[in-house]
């Protein structure tokens, strides 16, 4: 793996290990210098060389510290980028949840409306069967039938609106359920119309 391909976490570990290795060498040479005898020319030359090596290591340590700081900064930037991305995902999740709840509430209201209409249809059918077909009763039944047909068409339109809204929001499950409800309402409306016509003859 090339240096460019090395993950930031590996760069951080490598920088820390390199710094630790240089620090151990620096400490070892420091102890060696402190304990070195200075009683001969050879000792003095050796101590001078050790001192030079320590100076070189000191420069190297500064570079290693700089590399570690850079690696830490890279990791921090990477973590911040991930945190920002997670925050955006959290905001999107909240928004999508709110949209879903709103669509689900509307679908629940549609279901309640459909249930109410089903009850009204059954009541209308029972009344239609029991009617003695006086002019007054016929007029009343026609009024109820017209209002019921209009309400069914209204709820079907609401279902169509919800279907479009759900599809635009990419909540296809709710869209399919709303469309299915609309189809059921239109079918029931047609059947009610046929029933009313057959009983009017």
């Amino acid at each position: 793996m090339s240096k460019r391909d090395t993950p930031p976490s590996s760069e951080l570990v490598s920088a820390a290990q390199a710094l630790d290795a240089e620090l151990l060498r620096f400490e070892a040479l420091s102890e060696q210098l402190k304990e070195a005898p200075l009683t001969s020319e050879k000792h003095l030359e050796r101590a001078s060389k050790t001192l030079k090596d320590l100076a070189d290591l000191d420069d190297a340590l500064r570079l290693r510290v700089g590399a570690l700081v850079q690696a830490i900064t890279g990791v921090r930037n990477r973590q911040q980028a991930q945190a920002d991305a997670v925050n955006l995902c959290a905001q999107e999740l909240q928004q999508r949840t709110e949209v879903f709840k709103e669509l689900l509430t509307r679908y629940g209201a549609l279901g309640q409306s459909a249930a109410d209409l089903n009850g009204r249809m059954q009541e209308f059918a029972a009344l239609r069967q029991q009617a003695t077909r006086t002019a007054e009763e016929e007029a009343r039944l026609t009024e109820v039938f017209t209002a019921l047909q209009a309400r069914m068409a209204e709820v079907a339109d609401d279902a169509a609106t919800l279907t479009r809204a759900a599809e635009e929001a990419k909540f296809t499950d709710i869209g399919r359920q709303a469309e299915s409800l609309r189809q059921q309402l239109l079918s029931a409306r047609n059947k009610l119309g046929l029933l009313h016509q057959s009983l009017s003859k």
Side-chain angles (χ1 to χ4, degrees):
M1 179 181 292
S2 66
K3 185 175 181 181
R4 178 178 297 179
D5 296 330
T6 303
S9 57
S10 297
E11 292 178 3
L12 178 61
V13 171
S14 297
Q17 290 175 339
L19 175 60
D20 187 58
E22 296 285 12
L23 186 58
L24 288 175
R25 288 181 59 200
F26 188 85
E27 290 174 344
L29 286 176
S30 296
E31 289 300 320
Q32 182 179 326
L33 181 64
K34 287 187 291 184
E35 296 174 1
L38 303 175
T39 57
S40 69
E41 181 180 3
K42 185 176 181 180
H43 290 161
L44 293 176
E45 289 176 353
R46 185 178 298 169
S48 295
K49 183 179 182 307
T50 301
L51 191 60
K52 182 180 182 304
D53 290 341
L54 281 168
D56 292 340
L57 270 177
D58 189 54
D59 292 337
L61 279 172
R62 280 196 291 271
L63 291 176
R64 295 298 186 186
V65 169
L68 180 59
V69 170
Q70 184 177 357
I72 291 173
T73 300
V75 171
R76 185 179 63 226
N77 291 341
R78 183 188 181 200
Q79 183 275 333
Q80 185 60 52
Q82 291 296 327
D84 291 343
V86 168
N87 185 52
L88 288 176
C89 289
Q91 292 177 11
E92 182 181 8
L93 174 60
Q94 181 179 0
Q95 293 170 356
R96 294 288 289 167
T97 300
E98 291 173 357
V99 171
F100 178 76
K101 287 181 178 178
E102 191 267 338
L103 291 172
L104 201 59
T105 298
R106 289 171 62 182
Y107 180 73
L110 276 178
Q112 184 59 54
S113 296
D116 293 342
L117 283 170
N118 185 57
R120 289 173 60 183
M121 284 176 60
Q122 293 177 3
E123 291 174 2
F124 173 79
L127 289 173
R128 196 75 184 81
Q129 291 284 0
Q130 297 169 6
T132 56
R133 301 198 176 187
T134 64
E136 183 178 348
E137 286 179 335
E138 287 291 344
R140 174 58 182 159
L141 285 172
T142 298
E143 180 182 346
V144 172
F145 169 78
T146 302
L148 187 54
Q149 286 278 83
R151 177 57 181 156
M152 293 176 78
E154 180 182 351
V155 176
D157 287 343
D158 289 343
T161 300
L162 177 57
T163 298
R164 288 192 297 271
E167 289 175 349
E168 289 173 2
K170 301 189 186 305
F171 284 113
T172 55
D173 287 349
I174 294 180
R176 282 195 298 267
Q177 292 169 4
E179 176 58 22
S180 176
L181 181 59
R182 186 182 78 88
Q183 294 292 342
Q184 293 173 29
L185 284 167
L186 293 177
S187 176
R189 186 171 182 265
N190 291 335
K191 290 178 181 178
L192 181 64
L194 293 174
L195 174 65
H196 183 63
Q197 289 176 6
S198 65
L199 294 177
S200 297
K201 295 178 181 178

